Amino acid sequence: QVQLVESGGGSVQAGSSLTLTCTASGRTAGSYTMAWYRQAPGKEREFVAAVQGRRRNVTEYGDSVKGRFTISRDNTGMTAYLQMNSLKPDDTAVYYCSGHTYWGQGTQVTVSS
């Protein structure tokens, strides 16, 4: 029912910044908590960040990105962003947007040293 589409991935050098965008559609999509996860080849999915749907000032971050990444969403709740600063090679992964039980197709982020 809910559709999620990520964009904004790319290849950057360590220390650079990149912003990912997740656009949602579907009934009640704006009220769901939205989150970013990432997965590198051969590794388990890792929680990155989440922002609540109804209280969008409430955010959570994974320990590996806290202080470097910022999650936000627009006033409609239909678009979520992940601003990534001070990127490291270990941040290289496919980044997925999640809302409720739904997932986007992912966007590749590659960070070179």
Side-chain angles (χ1 to χ4, degrees), residues 36-47:
W36 290 93
Y37 291 78
R38 66 187 184 186
Q39 187 169 26
K43 298 183 179 180
E44 296 290 326
R45 179 189 62 188
E46 178 186 18
F47 171 74

Side-chain angles (χ1 to χ4, degrees), residues 7-112:
S7 63
S11 182
V12 298
Q13 293 185 339
S16 298
S17 297
L18 198 63
T19 299
L20 307 182
T21 299
C22 175
T23 300
S25 62
R27 183 181 297 177
T28 71
S31 66
Y32 295 142
T33 295
M34 296 181 71
W36 290 93
Y37 291 78
R38 66 187 184 186
Q39 187 169 26
K43 298 183 179 180
E44 296 290 326
R45 179 189 62 188
E46 178 186 18
F47 171 74
V48 176
V51 56
Q52 291 189 8
R54 302 183 71 86
R55 297 292 186 95
R56 295 195 293 273
N57 61 314
V58 179
T59 59
E60 297 287 341
Y61 296 92
D63 290 340
S64 63
V65 305
K66 192 171 185 177
R68 298 189 297 121
F69 291 10
T70 302
I71 188 171
S72 62
R73 65 200 297 172
D74 69 0
N75 291 331
T76 70
M78 302 294 284
T79 303
Y81 305 93
L82 183 68
Q83 182 177 341
M84 305 180 292
N85 298 322
S86 302
L87 284 163
K88 306 174 181 179
D90 287 345
D91 296 320
T92 296
V94 177
Y95 284 70
Y96 296 93
C97 180
S98 175
H100 192 43
T101 63
Y102 304 94
W103 296 85
Q105 82 287 349
T107 185
Q108 176 71 49
V109 173
T110 302
V111 184
S112 60

